[in-house]
Amino acid sequence: MSSDVSPRRADAPHHVGFPLRLDLRGRTSLADDDAYLAGLIEQVLFTSPGERVNRPDFGSGVARLVFAPSGDSLAESTQALVHGALQQWLGELIRVEGVQVTAVDSRLEVVVDYLPLRATSPDQRRRVTVSGTGGPGGLGGAP
């Protein structure tokens, strides 16, 4: 008895891609583990608390800081905010190794260094960089 379904390859993507889109065949786009985790981090950073009806406390609130007075205090508060939000929402998937924040005028750049908890060695550290400005399409808007 043969099956038309081939066994899943270990290296095949198996997460729904973010943002949701179609691939060249018209099917839902899939993502590997690295792209999936990067997408989750972006979702936490780009979502403002209160934005999701069924989970009103989800998100980081980073968008509120874009127009705050820049300086060391903004960078420090943003680092703490991002680290806490990622730990709260993705703590079962990643270990946040570091967060660096750069603020120039009304632009923020957030760099997150993390280690997937499924990683087998420290060499598997990853980095996600997110930057944006206030207003539509900025940090807190659609990535």
Side-chain angles (χ1 to χ4, degrees), residues 63-71 74 77 103 105-106:
R64 294 185 308 234
L65 300 175
V66 172
F67 293 112
S70 62
L74 174 66
S77 62
D105 297 326
S106 64

Side-chain angles (χ1 to χ4, degrees), residues 6-42:
S6 62
R8 181 189 217 146
R9 293 187 347 234
D11 62 341
H14 55 277
H15 303 284
V16 174
F18 173 79
L20 186 62
R21 60 191 174 277
L22 300 178
D23 64 13
L24 296 175
R25 298 175 295 174
R27 299 178 182 170
T28 303
S29 177
L30 298 179
D32 62 12
D33 288 340
D34 290 341
Y36 176 70
L37 289 175
L40 289 177
I41 290 169
E42 288 180 5

Side-chain angles (χ1 to χ4, degrees), residues 71-142:
D72 292 340
S73 61
L74 174 66
E76 290 172 10
S77 62
T78 304
Q79 288 172 344
L81 186 69
V82 168
H83 194 279
L86 292 174
Q87 186 63 38
Q88 178 182 1
W89 298 110
L90 303 179
E92 295 177 2
L93 299 172
I94 65 172
R95 183 176 71 219
V96 179
E97 301 270 314
V99 176
Q100 298 89 37
V101 177
T102 307
V104 178
D105 297 326
S106 64
R107 183 171 189 75
L108 279 179
E109 180 177 89
V110 180
V111 179
V112 178
D113 292 313
Y114 68 96
L115 182 67
L117 292 183
R118 289 185 156 190
T120 55
S121 75
D123 296 345
Q124 294 176 309
R125 284 188 181 92
R126 302 290 183 254
R127 174 174 279 184
V128 172
T129 302
V130 177
S131 64
T133 59
L139 200 58

